[in-house]
Every structure is written in structure tokens, then in C-alpha cells.
């Protein structure tokens, strides 16, 4: 340890300038990222009659905008729809991705390169919007949650990241399990899955964020307003809060219209912000290990 410390080269002026430049860029990105978030939160808790400010918090904090939004049946219904789409989407996507990535990670799989090439082809050349809509319509999935769950069941990028992670696992563990008589499904469930916790949580987060923020597909496949998720309702609130129809339904509101808009933004983004810290320690490891092929 002492040899390592004594042999460390002294930092030159260029090293210090480089570190200062990197820290300055990171600080700039942090400020640019935080200012809109702080502004949204400050406006959402500003009471009626008080002017909101970008840099000063309100003199009195009011959560009436959140309470009013949570009393709206449309908001609660949209939240439930988003939960169904996100939970169902993550379950379907993880099952399909794991069961596709694991066989492709086996080097003795017949036709492995051809199958991987065909999957990669769909990533590079998309069929387009109209064929996708016609397929969903002919399957009878219009106004069905399955239209979103099946459409986003597999991400090719996530599939290959998970495949690379499986390829980096020690072969000796699986060979020992095979000698003991374990089947491929038993090896996957009892050996591979417990060792793949970082990549499973990382890919699960990718799918969860994608499903939660899905805005375009519900508009394309749902004509029933009762099935719309939070992003669509948020769009309606942000663009239609001052319209005559919405003003009638909120004529008795005690919150500023801008506070209602910002509170809707916070409620829509809050679930993903709460989930990320719980799996942050696995995120970097899962991304690096799956993204780099040894």
C-alpha cells in the first residue's frame, strides 16, 4: 500500500486543468437539470394570490393543487391505467427478453448468428407506423392493454445488453449444474437468474420508464378516454387548463392554474424518481457489465 502511494505520480498542471474542466461541465449540467425541477416544485406549492418566483420559495407552502388533482376521478383513473401498463409491460418484457437472451447467449445454439442477425435487422429497419397499426387492428387489440404490452414486449437494445451479460457469466457454474442433472430451465432459474440481479433490475428500469412515459401508443391504439394513462392526461392539463371546458370543471378551484399544471407534472414524474434510488447501486454495474463484451 505504501509502495503504491509513494509511486503515484504527482498531478501535473494539465491534470488539474482537465479535472477542473470536467467538474465545471458536470456542475453546469447539474444546474441546468435542477433549475426546471426546482421551478416546477416551487410553482406547484405556491398558494392562490401569490406570484411564483424562479429563485425564491413561496412565503407559504400550499398543497391544495395536489389535493384537488388527486380528487379528480380522471386523474386517479389515469394513474391506475399507467400502473397497469407499466407493471404489465415490465412483466411481459422481462419474461420475453430473458427467455430470448439466455438461449442466444449459449455458443452451441444452432443458427445462433442467423437468429441474432434477424433480430438486429428489425432494430435497423422498422416496418413503420401504418403496418404496426394494421397488425394491432387485425389482432383485435384496439382499445386493449395488450396492444401496448405486446407492441413494446422486446427492445432489441435491451435484449443484446442482457445477452452480453449472460455470456460473461462463468461457464463452470452451469457445467457443474449440468453434471448434477439440472435442466436448462433449472439452470436459468436457480443459477443464472440469482447471478443476474444487476442486469435484471437495470433492464427492468429501462422498460418501466419506457412504459410509464408512453405517450404516443395510447393515442394511436386507444379511442376510449377511460383507458388513457397519465402522460396523455398530463398533456390535456398542460394544453387545455384554460379552455372553457376545463374551466367549468375547475370553477371552484382554490389553486392557481399554473400550480395545478406543475402539480400534475410532479405527480406524473414522482413514481420513477422514487424507484431509481432503490436500484441505483445495481444500475452502473448492470449497464457496464452488459454493455461490454469480455
Amino acid at each position: 500500500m505504501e509502495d503504491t502511494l509513494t509511486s503515484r505520480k504527482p498531478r501535473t498542471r494539465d491534470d488539474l486543468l482537465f479535472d477542473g474542466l470536467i467538474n465545471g461541465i458536470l456542475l453546469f449540467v447539474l444546474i441546468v437539470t435542477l433549475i426546471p425541477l426546482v421551478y416546477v416544485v416551487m410553482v406547484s406549492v405556491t398558494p392562490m394570490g401569490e406570484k411564483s418566483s424562479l429563485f425564491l420559495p413561496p412565503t407559504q407552502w400550499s398543497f391544495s393543487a395536489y389535493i384537488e388533482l388527486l380528487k379528480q376521478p380522471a386523474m386517479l383513473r389515469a394513474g391506475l391505467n399507467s400502473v397497469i401498463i407499466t407493471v404489465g409491460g415490465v412483466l411481459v418484457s422481462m419474461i420475453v427478453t430473458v427467455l430470448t437472451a439466455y438461449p442466444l447467449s449459449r455458443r452451441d445454439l444452432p443458427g445462433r448468428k442467423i437468429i441474432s442477425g434477424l433480430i438486429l435487422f428489425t432494430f435497423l429497419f422498422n416496418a413503420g407506423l401504418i403496418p404496426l397499426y394494421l397488425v394491432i387492428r387485425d389482432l383485435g387489440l384496439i382499445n386493449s392493454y395488450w396492444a401496448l404490452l405486446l407492441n413494446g414486449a422486446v427492445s432489441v437494445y435491451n435484449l443484446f445488453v442482457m445477452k452480453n451479460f449472460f455470456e460473461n457469466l462463468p461457464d463452470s457454474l452451469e457445467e457443474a449444474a449440468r453434471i448434477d442433472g439440472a435442466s436448462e430451465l433449472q439452470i436459468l432459474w436457480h443459477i443464472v437468474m440469482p447471478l443476474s440481479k444487476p442486469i435484471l433490475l437495470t433492464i427492468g428500469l429501462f422498460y418501466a420508464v419506457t412504459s410509464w412515459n408512453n405517450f404516443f401508443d395510447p393515442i394511436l391504439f386507444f379511442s376510449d378516454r377511460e383507458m388513457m394513462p397519465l402522460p396523455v392526461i398530463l398533456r390535456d392539463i398542460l394544453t387545455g387548463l384554460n379552455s372553457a371546458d376545463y374551466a367549468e370543471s375547475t370553477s371552484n378551484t382554490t389553486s392557481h392554474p399554473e400550480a395545478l399544471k406543475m402539480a400534475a407534472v410532479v405527480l406524473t414524474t414522482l413514481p420513477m424518481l422514487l424507484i431509481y434510488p432503490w436500484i441505483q447501486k445495481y444500475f452502473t454495474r448492470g449497464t457496464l457489465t452488459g454493455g461490454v463484451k469480455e
Side-chain angles (χ1 to χ4, degrees), residues 181-255:
S183 64
E184 291 296 330
L185 283 178
Q186 289 174 325
I187 294 173
L188 173 63
W189 184 253
H190 295 291
I191 305 296
V192 175
M193 298 295 281
L195 296 174
S196 306
K197 194 174 181 180
I199 194 65
L200 294 176
L201 291 174
T202 302
I203 298 300
L205 177 65
F206 287 163
Y207 281 128
V209 172
T210 302
S211 299
W212 184 265
N213 294 330
N214 196 348
F215 168 78
F216 184 72
D217 288 347
I219 295 178
L220 181 64
F221 299 126
F222 294 166
S223 58
D224 185 359
R225 295 288 302 174
E226 302 288 321
M227 300 182 65
M228 292 299 178
L230 275 177
V232 179
I233 300 300
L234 176 63
R235 189 278 309 265
D236 294 343
I237 292 176
L238 294 179
T239 60
L241 188 61
N242 295 322
S243 65
D245 293 339
Y246 195 83
E248 288 179 3
S249 62
T250 59
S251 57
N252 296 323
T253 181
T254 59
S255 302

Side-chain angles (χ1 to χ4, degrees), residues 1-239:
M1 183 69 180
E2 292 181 356
D3 294 341
T4 303
L5 293 176
T6 54
S7 61
R8 183 178 297 174
K9 294 182 180 179
R11 299 180 65 80
T12 64
R13 182 181 177 184
D14 291 340
D15 293 335
L16 296 176
L17 288 176
F18 180 76
D19 290 345
L21 177 63
I22 295 299
N23 291 330
I25 293 175
L26 293 177
L27 180 62
F28 175 75
V29 173
L30 178 64
I31 294 174
V32 171
T33 305
L34 281 182
I35 285 180
L37 294 176
V38 173
Y39 177 73
V40 166
V41 175
M42 291 296 105
V43 174
S44 69
V45 295
T46 301
M48 178 77 84
E50 184 174 344
K51 188 176 180 180
S52 59
S53 173
L54 177 60
F55 300 104
L56 296 177
T59 55
Q60 291 183 346
W61 289 45
S62 172
F63 295 93
S64 59
Y66 293 94
I67 297 174
E68 289 186 31
L69 283 176
L70 292 177
K71 287 181 179 178
Q72 294 289 332
M75 195 73 180
L76 297 177
R77 187 170 55 248
L80 178 61
N81 291 335
S82 289
V83 171
I84 294 174
I85 293 170
T86 302
V87 174
V90 171
L91 288 176
V92 172
S93 297
M94 291 303 294
I95 291 173
V96 176
T97 302
V98 169
L99 294 181
T100 307
Y102 179 67
L104 289 176
S105 67
R106 303 302 90 187
R107 294 177 177 82
D108 56 350
L109 176 71
R112 175 171 176 259
K113 291 186 177 179
I114 296 176
I115 297 173
S116 298
L118 291 175
I119 294 175
L120 185 61
F121 180 84
T122 64
F123 178 71
L124 299 175
F125 303 97
N126 194 294
L129 188 62
I130 294 177
L132 173 64
Y133 178 81
L134 294 177
V135 170
I136 296 295
R137 186 198 63 181
D138 292 344
L139 290 174
L141 298 179
I142 299 297
N143 285 329
S144 170
Y145 292 120
W146 286 106
L148 304 186
L149 304 186
L150 295 180
N151 179 37
V154 177
S155 163
V156 175
Y157 172 80
N158 293 339
L159 172 64
F160 279 98
V161 169
M162 186 172 290
K163 166 180 165 291
N164 287 340
F165 186 94
F166 289 158
E167 288 177 345
N168 291 329
L169 294 177
D171 294 334
S172 57
L173 295 175
E174 300 177 24
E175 291 172 359
R178 289 191 183 91
I179 292 174
D180 291 338
S183 64
E184 291 296 330
L185 283 178
Q186 289 174 325
I187 294 173
L188 173 63
W189 184 253
H190 295 291
I191 305 296
V192 175
M193 298 295 281
L195 296 174
S196 306
K197 194 174 181 180
I199 194 65
L200 294 176
L201 291 174
T202 302
I203 298 300
L205 177 65
F206 287 163
Y207 281 128
V209 172
T210 302
S211 299
W212 184 265
N213 294 330
N214 196 348
F215 168 78
F216 184 72
D217 288 347
I219 295 178
L220 181 64
F221 299 126
F222 294 166
S223 58
D224 185 359
R225 295 288 302 174
E226 302 288 321
M227 300 182 65
M228 292 299 178
L230 275 177
V232 179
I233 300 300
L234 176 63
R235 189 278 309 265
D236 294 343
I237 292 176
L238 294 179
T239 60

